[in-house]
Amino acid sequence: MNNRNNKSLINSHTGLGSVFSTLLLLMTLLLVAISCQRDYLPKPIGYNRLELPAPEYHLSPDSLPYRFEYSTAAKLLPDTSGFHERYWVEIYYPQLKSNIHITYKPIRNSEQLLKEFMDDAYKLAAKHQIKAYAIDEVIVKTPTGKTAVVVELAGEVPSQMQFTITDSTKNFLRGALYFNTKVHNDSLKPAIEYMKKDILHLINTFDWNTPK
């Protein structure tokens, strides 16, 4: 009788040990699977490290009523938008996927036109107030005696810098910076700062061409 009981106990312990070993094996395999999953989870896509072009410049063509120096890393292209006018151009940076949109308007000694163009430029900058957490406006005096109004916008705005230059009697020019990418402006900060320096160089080398 005792022998049978002992055998039953042995078999019971053996069965429990087998179940415990199986559970331990399953837990180990589960942990390994989870660990492997963690290793191979797709990582969020980041913006590639920007290689900023060296700051080298050349002069814009004399076929325009204005001139300035712009980057050799950029292409000066005619504006092809549906509402473009004569002498509107794009300074396109293929490497940075950015462009400076330049619009030009003749004033023809009209105070009314000058006021209209200035008001339009102000409205175009002000419409970004919803997304901008800071808008700074500064007056820049160029080495050639020109005065430019420069507006810097901070935040998730489509245009990070805008400017106007006018002689108040004959010519009015406006420029705006844009990036053709969905990347957040925080990630674009090095490129934005690079472009702002290029715009300031453009402004500081700016002059009106004498009509031929």
Side-chain angles (χ1 to χ4, degrees), residues 1-198:
M1 193 73 176
N2 288 335
N3 287 339
R4 285 181 184 176
N5 288 337
N6 289 338
K7 284 181 181 179
S8 297
L9 287 171
I10 290 168
N11 290 336
S12 175
H13 284 302
T14 304
L16 286 172
S18 177
V19 170
F20 180 75
S21 298
T22 302
L23 287 173
L24 184 62
L25 178 62
L26 287 172
M27 287 178 68
T28 303
L29 290 172
L30 182 61
L31 288 171
V32 169
I34 291 171
S35 174
C36 289
Q37 261 191 328
R38 283 177 181 169
D39 287 343
Y40 291 101
L41 278 176
K43 295 185 170 71
I45 299 172
Y47 195 70
N48 293 332
R49 185 175 179 274
L50 288 170
E51 295 294 335
L52 301 174
E56 298 178 7
Y57 306 95
H58 52 189
L59 194 62
S60 59
D62 60 6
S63 56
L64 300 168
Y66 50 83
R67 64 180 181 273
F68 51 76
E69 289 186 2
Y70 68 101
S71 175
T72 55
K75 297 177 180 178
L76 190 65
L77 306 172
D79 184 350
T80 56
S81 61
F83 50 87
H84 71 277
E85 296 181 20
R86 191 181 184 191
Y87 303 131
W88 289 21
V89 297
E90 301 273 355
I91 307 172
Y92 177 58
Y93 291 69
Q95 193 172 339
L96 302 180
K97 296 181 181 178
S98 62
N99 68 289
I100 304 167
H101 184 223
I102 302 289
T103 59
Y104 169 82
K105 296 275 190 178
I107 299 174
R108 303 187 185 94
N109 295 303
S110 170
E111 291 184 8
Q112 184 179 346
L113 281 178
L114 175 61
K115 184 180 183 302
E116 181 185 320
F117 299 154
M118 293 295 291
D119 287 347
D120 286 346
Y122 175 79
K123 289 174 185 175
L124 287 168
K127 76 176 185 178
H128 299 297
Q129 285 179 343
I130 297 172
K131 292 186 176 182
Y133 59 76
I135 299 179
D136 296 323
E137 184 178 299
V138 294
I139 307 297
V140 176
K141 201 77 173 178
T142 74
T144 57
K146 305 295 181 295
T147 300
V149 179
V150 180
V151 179
E152 293 190 55
L153 303 103
E156 288 304 316
V157 290
S159 177
Q160 300 81 8
M161 193 176 203
Q162 301 185 12
F163 64 94
T164 57
I165 305 175
T166 180
D167 57 12
S168 300
T169 56
K170 296 179 181 179
N171 307 286
F172 182 89
L173 181 138
R174 177 182 173 270
L177 168 64
Y178 296 96
F179 280 86
N180 304 317
T181 175
K182 294 182 180 179
V183 178
H184 290 294
N185 284 349
D186 284 347
S187 301
L188 285 172
K189 189 175 180 180
I192 292 172
E193 293 304 315
Y194 175 91
M195 290 299 300
K196 285 180 178 180
K197 289 178 182 177
D198 262 20

